[in-house]
Amino acid sequence: MTMNYKNIALFAIIGVVFILTGMVKGPNAALYLLNLGLISAILALGVNLQWGLAGLLNVGIMGFVALGALSTVLISMPPTTEAIAAGGLRVVVALITGAATILGAVQLMKRMTPGKSRNLALIGLLVVGFFLFRFLFDPAVSAIESVDSAATGYLGGLGLPVLLAWPMGALMAAGAAWIIGKTALGLRSDYLAIATLGIAEIIIAILKNEDWLSRGVKNVVGIPRPVPYEVNLQASESFLATAQAVGINDPILASTVFVKLCYTGLFVVVLAILMWLSQQALNSPWGRMMRAIRDNEVAAEAMGKDVTRRHLQIFVLGSAICGLAGAMWATMDSTLIPTSYQPLRFTFLIWVMVIIGGSGNNWGAILGGFLILLLWDWGEQLGLWMMEFVTWPLADGVWLKDHLINNAPHMRLMMIGIVLLLILRFSPRGLIPEE
C-alpha cells in the first residue's frame, strides 16, 4: 500500500472513532470493540486472500470460524473422565468404522469395473458400514451425554494451553477446506457459493446437535484463557498498587481494562504476522500467478498453470485464517455458543468489509474490518437518535413513534447498505483499491 495522505487519514478516522467510543461508552466497551475489530480484520484478510487474490466466492466462512472455535474446546477444556470411561472408546471405534466404510467405498469404486456387480457391492458395503456405525455410535453417545448432562455431558478436551488451540483451529479449518475443495472447487463460482454455504450449515448443525462433542445448544462455558483472570488481579496487591500509580483507583475497572489490553496485544501480534505473510504472498511470483489466474483462467491454463490446484491452495490458506480467527474469538469470550454462528448474517458483514475496504488490497481489508464493525456497533445508537429526531413532533404514546423507536436497532442494516451503495458508486474498487 502506498502510504499516501488519504490512506493515513482513513485509519486516523478509525482511531478517532475508537477514542470517541471510549469517551461515550467507557474504556471497557472501546477495548472490547477494538479486539473484535482485530478479529474482524483477520477474517477479512482470509476472505480477501480467497476472493481478492483468486476470485473464489466462499460463502461458508462461518463454518470454518465455528471449527476454529471448536478447537478451543477440544484442546483446552479438561477431559470429562466419567464420560470418556462411559463411551469414549466406543465413539472412537465408531468414527474409525465410519471413516473406513467411506474409504472402502472409494477404493471399491476405483478398483471394480463399472457395472451391476460394483453397484451391488457398493450398496452392500455402505449399508453394512452404516448399521455397524450406528450400532457402535448411538449407545456410546447416549452414555456420554447422560453423565451430568447439566454441567458436562460431553467428552471434554485435552486440557492443554489454550494458545495451542489457535494453530489447531487453523489446521482443522484447513483440513475441512481441503476436503471441501477437492469436491467443490471444480464448480462455477455461483455453484461454489451455494456449496460452501450448505457445508457451513452442515458444520454448524453438527455443533448444535452433537452434545457429546460440543454440548450442542447447552453451550460450553469457562474455556481457559491465555490472560489473567480479573478476580486474581483484584486480589493482587502489586497489581492494585500499580493501577493506583497510573491513576486508576477502581480495582474492577483496572482489572477488566488490563485483561482486554492483554488480548489486544496478542491479537495485534497475530494480525501483524498474518499481514506480513499476506503482503509477502501478494508481492511474490506466486501472488502474481494467482492474480493472473483470477483475471483469466483460460490464459493461465494455456500457459501450463494447474488452476484447480492453485485454487485449492488458496482456499485452504484463507479458510485456515478464518479458523484461526474463530479460535481467537471463542478464547476471548471463553464460550462456545453454536447458535451464534449464523452464516448468512455474519458472512454478509465480512464480505462487506472486504468490498468496502478494497478487494485485493490487504490494507483495505483491515480498514474495512474496523469500519464495518464500528458502523455495526454505532448503528443502533445512531438509529435511535435518528428516530427520536424524526418523531420529535409526535406526542409520547403515539403508535407510530413507539414503533419507529422500538425498531431503531434495525437501522444499522440500512446504514451499512447505504454506506455500501455510496462506496460502490463513488469508489467502486473500495476505499483502498488494489494496486
Side-chain angles (χ1 to χ4, degrees):
M1 180 187 72
T2 303
M3 292 303 293
N4 55 36
Y5 290 113
K6 172 197 169 185
N7 298 335
I8 295 173
L10 288 172
F11 279 100
I13 291 171
I14 295 296
V16 170
V17 175
F18 274 112
I19 294 173
L20 291 175
T21 302
M23 296 172 62
V24 174
K25 300 184 178 183
N28 274 305
L31 286 173
Y32 183 77
L33 192 63
L34 175 61
N35 292 334
L36 278 181
L38 292 168
I39 294 174
S40 299
I42 292 172
L43 280 170
L45 272 180
V47 175
N48 185 58
L49 192 65
Q50 294 174 335
W51 171 252
L53 200 58
L56 295 179
L57 190 58
N58 176 17
V59 192
I61 300 165
M62 293 311 296
F64 301 113
V65 172
L67 283 176
L70 177 63
S71 71
T72 61
V73 175
L74 300 180
I75 296 297
S76 62
M77 290 298 289
T80 309
T81 53
E82 296 90 346
I84 294 173
L89 179 60
R90 194 163 181 171
V91 163
V92 173
V93 173
L95 294 176
I96 293 174
T97 301
T101 301
I102 295 173
L103 291 175
V106 172
Q107 291 300 317
L108 190 147
M109 290 286 291
K110 289 181 178 179
R111 296 179 183 276
M112 291 187 67
T113 56
K116 184 177 180 180
S117 298
R118 188 180 74 171
N119 293 337
L120 291 175
L122 181 63
I123 293 172
L125 175 62
L126 292 175
V127 169
V128 171
F130 174 78
F131 281 105
L132 181 58
F133 170 77
R134 301 307 304 191
F135 172 75
L136 295 169
F137 186 74
D138 292 347
V141 167
S142 299
I144 292 169
E145 294 178 355
S146 64
V147 175
D148 194 10
S149 57
T152 55
Y154 77 127
L155 292 174
L158 299 176
L160 299 174
V162 71
L163 285 180
L164 296 177
W166 294 10
M168 183 54 64
L171 286 175
M172 288 177 61
W178 184 86
I179 296 172
I180 296 167
K182 291 293 285 185
T183 57
L185 282 180
L187 300 175
R188 207 173 63 193
S189 60
D190 48 352
Y191 294 130
L192 176 63
I194 296 170
T196 52
L197 177 61
I199 292 167
E201 291 285 2
I202 291 171
I203 292 172
I204 295 170
I206 291 173
L207 295 186
K208 289 179 182 178
N209 293 284
E210 299 299 331
D211 288 14
W212 63 274
L213 179 66
S214 60
R215 297 202 74 223
V217 295
K218 299 173 186 175
N219 307 330
V220 178
V221 298
I223 295 175
R225 293 157 41 169
V227 300
Y229 286 87
E230 291 84 351
V231 291
N232 296 333
L233 293 174
Q234 294 165 19
S236 172
E237 294 183 0
S238 60
F239 173 79
L240 296 179
T242 304
Q244 291 177 355
V246 298
I248 304 178
N249 297 319
D250 185 353
I252 297 177
L253 177 63
S255 61
T256 52
V257 167
F258 179 77
V259 167
K260 289 181 175 62
L261 284 173
C262 290
Y263 276 121
T264 301
L266 288 172
F267 294 169
V268 166
V269 170
V270 174
L271 179 59
I273 294 172
L274 290 176
M275 183 62 189
W276 182 80
L277 292 173
S278 299
Q279 286 294 96
Q280 293 296 111
L282 183 68
N283 298 319
S284 68
W286 180 82
R288 291 190 289 272
M289 175 187 64
M290 293 306 307
R291 282 179 289 186
I293 292 174
R294 176 199 64 189
D295 294 337
N296 195 325
E297 289 187 16
V298 176
E301 284 183 327
M303 295 297 292
K305 305 302 180 184
D306 190 341
V307 173
T308 303
R309 181 184 176 189
R310 299 306 179 186
H311 278 173
L312 181 61
Q313 286 179 351
I314 206 159
F315 186 70
V316 168
L317 289 173
S319 300
I321 294 175
C322 293
L324 173 62
M328 295 166 62
W329 194 352
T331 302
M332 183 178 68
D333 290 342
S334 292
T335 56
L336 171 64
I337 306 176
T339 54
S340 66
Y341 299 101
Q342 303 175 25
L344 287 176
R345 172 181 171 185
F346 289 107
T347 299
F348 165 75
L349 290 177
I350 297 166
W351 272 97
V352 171
M353 293 173 185
V354 174
I355 294 170
I356 285 181
S359 177
N361 192 305
N362 293 320
W363 289 103
I366 292 176
L367 177 70
F370 284 114
L371 175 62
I372 295 304
L373 184 71
L374 286 170
L375 189 60
W376 181 263
D377 180 73
W378 275 96
E380 182 175 350
Q381 185 63 52
L382 293 174
L384 179 60
W385 290 342
M386 183 183 299
M387 290 300 100
E388 289 177 345
F389 175 77
V390 170
T391 60
W392 71 267
L394 300 176
D396 293 338
V398 176
W399 70 269
L400 180 59
K401 182 174 185 178
D402 292 340
H403 174 75
L404 292 175
I405 290 177
N406 291 334
N407 288 277
H410 301 298
M411 287 295 295
R412 59 172 36 151
L413 296 172
M414 182 177 179
M415 290 179 182
I416 290 176
I418 292 173
V419 170
L420 179 60
L421 287 174
L422 290 174
I423 291 179
L424 290 177
R425 170 61 180 84
F426 296 103
S427 184
R429 297 174 60 204
L431 295 174
I432 305 180
E434 181 181 7
E435 297 176 351

